[in-house]
Amino acid sequence: DAMVIQNPRYQVTQFGKPVTLSCSQTLNHNVMYWYQQKSSQAPKLLFHYYDKDFNNEADTPDNFQSRRPNTSFCFLDIRSPGLGDAAMYLCATSIQGGNQPQHFGDGTRLSIL
Amino acid sequence: EDKVVQSPLSLVVHEGDTVTLNCSYEVTNFRSLLWYKQEKKAPTFLFMLTSSGIEKKSGRLSSILDKKELFSILNITATQTGDSAIYLCASLRGANNLFFGTGTRLTVIP
């Protein structure tokens, strides 16, 4: 059973056209993360929510924003996608504290035309 | 600057071989070291290591952490073609921040 679900699996958008990626979880974890993984590179943390508290990484571009309307859902909004934003976007969840591993969704592969 | 360095970058072995993948790290506020397996989709959790010298095992896979020398190894014995994947090492910095290495691409040929 899928526990961290990302939709869609593949997303194509036009240069500059806003796009939203979604993530939902059935684990009731209180921390949710968004990573960007470009081809042949390591996943890179963009931001995470600890409950409703938003934590942005210092080098995450302003073009990237996130929303977490409730425990189960988290969205990644890219306001004006550029060609360099083409990547796999991974959502992950974990339980805060106690050194718990993060559990990943299957990712959304974003292409920019 | 924090670093997680994996070696080798890629590795090709025959079925039945044993492989050792290496991960060294220098990160601030280190909490634990994690290993993930990534095929075409999401990274799948393998191990989390917090204490030095305690081997964790799962079937043919095992891993150990050395916090003095700042490295970890992942061993896979009797490799199978299904072990072909990218193996990612990541350091947990603080409570929530996973910092990944670029991975080792393992190819197991029949």
Side-chain angles (χ1 to χ4, degrees):
Chain A
D1 289 339
M3 295 180 288
V4 182
I5 303 155
Q6 291 189 243
N7 285 304
R9 288 291 312 281
Y10 300 91
Q11 176 75 56
V12 181
T13 192
Q14 291 178 321
F15 183 94
K17 185 173 180 181
V19 65
T20 294
L21 310 182
S22 73
C23 177
S24 63
Q25 54 137 337
T26 58
L27 298 165
N28 206 32
H29 286 172
N30 57 345
V31 192
M32 293 187 78
Y33 310 78
W34 280 104
Y35 288 85
Q36 179 192 65
Q37 187 177 24
K38 295 187 177 180
S39 182
S40 302
Q41 295 185 22
K44 181 176 175 301
L45 182 65
L46 295 172
F47 25 58
H48 74 274
Y49 275 94
Y50 171 26
D51 292 326
K52 292 187 176 182
D53 291 335
F54 178 70
N55 299 271
N56 200 30
E57 292 301 298
D59 55 356
T60 298
D62 292 340
N63 200 23
F64 290 84
Q65 296 179 337
S66 186
R67 296 170 282 136
R68 189 180 186 186
N70 54 53
T71 301
S72 301
F73 285 87
C74 195
F75 300 98
L76 170 63
D77 300 308
I78 309 177
R79 288 191 297 184
S80 182
L83 296 179
D85 297 328
M88 173 78 87
Y89 290 88
L90 295 165
C91 174
T93 72
S94 73
I95 299 171
Q96 173 69 12
N99 269 344
Q100 299 296 320
Q102 295 180 18
H103 298 271
F104 285 81
D106 285 342
T108 293
R109 186 170 294 282
L110 178 66
S111 300
I112 315 293
L113 300 180
Chain B
E1 186 178 328
D2 289 354
K3 287 187 289 191
V4 174
V5 179
Q6 293 187 244
S7 64
L9 291 181
S10 66
L11 188 56
V12 180
V13 300
H14 287 95
E15 264 192 321
D17 288 351
T18 293
V19 298
T20 298
L21 310 183
N22 304 294
C23 175
S24 65
Y25 64 92
E26 289 179 43
V27 300
T28 51
N29 202 15
F30 174 83
R31 294 274 294 263
S32 0
L33 192 291
L34 291 88
W35 285 96
Y36 286 85
K37 177 182 181 183
Q38 187 174 27
E39 295 169 269
K40 294 207 184 294
K41 304 187 288 189
T44 305
F45 172 73
L46 295 175
F47 298 109
M48 173 181 265
L49 304 154
T50 306
S51 302
S52 265
I54 299 173
E55 185 183 52
K56 292 210 171 180
K57 270 182 85 71
S58 176
R60 296 176 293 103
L61 277 66
S62 63
S63 185
I64 197 161
L65 175 67
D66 185 329
K67 290 170 76 171
K68 184 179 174 191
E69 300 296 331
L70 306 183
F71 78 88
S72 174
I73 59 172
L74 174 68
N75 280 318
I76 309 174
T77 58
T79 51
Q80 301 171 357
T81 54
D83 296 326
S84 297
I86 295 173
Y87 290 84
L88 294 166
C89 167
S91 290
L92 183 62
R93 305 183 291 189
N96 294 313
N97 193 317
L98 261 188
F99 188 76
F100 282 87
T102 51
T104 292
R105 181 181 293 276
L106 174 66
T107 303
V108 182
I109 51 180

